[in-house]
Amino acid sequence: DIQMTQSPSSLSASVGDRVTITCRASQSISNYLNWYHHKPGKAPKLLIYAASSLQSGVPSRFSGSGSGTDFTLTISSLQPEDFATYYCQQSYNTPWTFGQGTKVEIK
Amino acid sequence: EVQLVESGGGLVQPGRSLRLSCTGSGFTFGDYALSWVRQAPGKGLEWVGFIRGKTYGGTTENAASVKGRFTISRDDSKSIAYLQMNSLKTEDTAVYYCSRGNCASTSCYVGFDCWGQGTLVTVSS
């Protein structure tokens, strides 16, 4: 199975901050990497697919980069609605594993 | 509007069975793979399994943690996917989500773009 490792596991930031989350795969997954945003009691929401493609309707402050084993999600200017947990997921091969999550909290 | 709605969760004793449903609307259900993901209390997201769309024969794959106990099926005429859970264990307690993906056989290039709100399954005596 492909292991996905996210860092950090949590971070505190202020509105307007630039935030970066990283995700590392245990083997190459090309660019089959997705990023989701999840709030308690809500449906997870796809932000980025194929490592760097912005899902329709997602604000442009979200961006993704990387290929192979190392990936990054960047939020250019954190907004109040962005405080949530972020997950990366590889969809290169089953089982489609998730990172352990990064909780973004208000400083 | 594209939508998925899960149902069927509840409290069940260890060793018993439960069937979850995932009802889709607003899209051609049979064209998409349907994936089940769960989140145990205080934990992250865990992939449970998926069923391929009709192009890929509607075959299934499950995570090792549920293999032999959970079965995924679909009825495209009703736009419903099912997660049959047998021999439930306390560690299966979680919110279960379904999501859709436009997938090839074992890979999904465009991710899972629509998720339901989830249904809670509690396994306890």
Side-chain angles (χ1 to χ4, degrees):
Chain A
D1 296 359
I2 300 171
Q3 308 303 317
M4 306 300 293
T5 304
Q6 276 181 245
S7 62
S9 55
S10 66
L11 63 91
S12 295
S14 301
V15 172
D17 284 354
R18 181 181 182 88
V19 168
T20 299
I21 299 168
T22 64
C23 180
R24 174 165 288 176
S26 60
Q27 65 185 73
S28 177
I29 57 170
S30 183
N31 62 340
Y32 286 72
L33 192 283
N34 312 305
W35 289 99
Y36 301 90
H37 156 124
H38 189 209
K39 291 188 173 183
K42 301 284 190 179
K45 179 183 177 182
L46 178 65
L47 302 172
I48 301 285
Y49 65 91
S52 60
S53 296
L54 191 67
Q55 174 66 9
S56 176
V58 173
S60 59
R61 62 181 180 273
F62 291 94
S63 63
S65 64
S67 67
T69 60
D70 293 309
F71 303 89
T72 300
L73 173 71
T74 299
I75 309 172
S76 60
S77 177
L78 201 64
Q79 298 301 301
E81 60 268 29
D82 300 337
F83 292 96
T85 301
Y86 292 81
Y87 294 93
C88 62
Q89 179 203 30
Q90 65 82 16
S91 52
Y92 179 72
N93 206 0
T94 55
W96 293 325
T97 40
F98 291 89
Q100 77 277 21
T102 296
K103 187 173 185 179
V104 177
E105 299 174 302
I106 301 172
K107 183 183 285 184
Chain B
E1 179 192 6
V2 174
Q3 195 172 14
L4 291 170
V5 177
E6 303 92 342
S7 60
L11 175 63
V12 61
Q13 293 179 326
R16 304 298 290 261
S17 299
L18 200 63
R19 188 178 77 164
L20 305 183
S21 299
C22 170
T23 303
S25 59
F27 64 101
T28 304
F29 194 79
D31 287 349
Y32 288 83
L34 274 299
S35 180
W36 288 93
V37 171
R38 67 185 179 184
Q39 184 176 37
K43 303 292 186 181
L45 300 176
E46 179 191 11
W47 181 76
V48 172
F50 89 112
I51 185 164
R52 295 174 174 86
K54 59 186 177 186
T55 300
Y56 294 95
T59 52
T60 63
E61 291 192 33
N62 288 342
S65 58
V66 305
K67 198 165 288 185
R69 299 189 299 123
F70 289 13
T71 302
I72 302 172
S73 61
R74 64 191 299 160
D75 183 343
D76 291 340
S77 69
K78 297 181 179 178
S79 297
I80 302 178
Y82 301 100
L83 178 65
Q84 177 68 44
M85 304 184 293
N86 298 332
S87 303
L88 281 161
K89 305 176 181 180
T90 55
E91 52 263 42
D92 295 319
T93 293
V95 176
Y96 285 74
Y97 299 95
C98 66
S99 59
R100 76 165 195 178
N102 198 343
C103 304
S105 183
T106 58
S107 60
C108 281
Y109 193 63
V110 295
F112 295 85
D113 65 345
C114 179
W115 294 62
Q117 297 274 57
T119 187
L120 175 63
V121 173
T122 303
V123 184
S124 174
S125 54

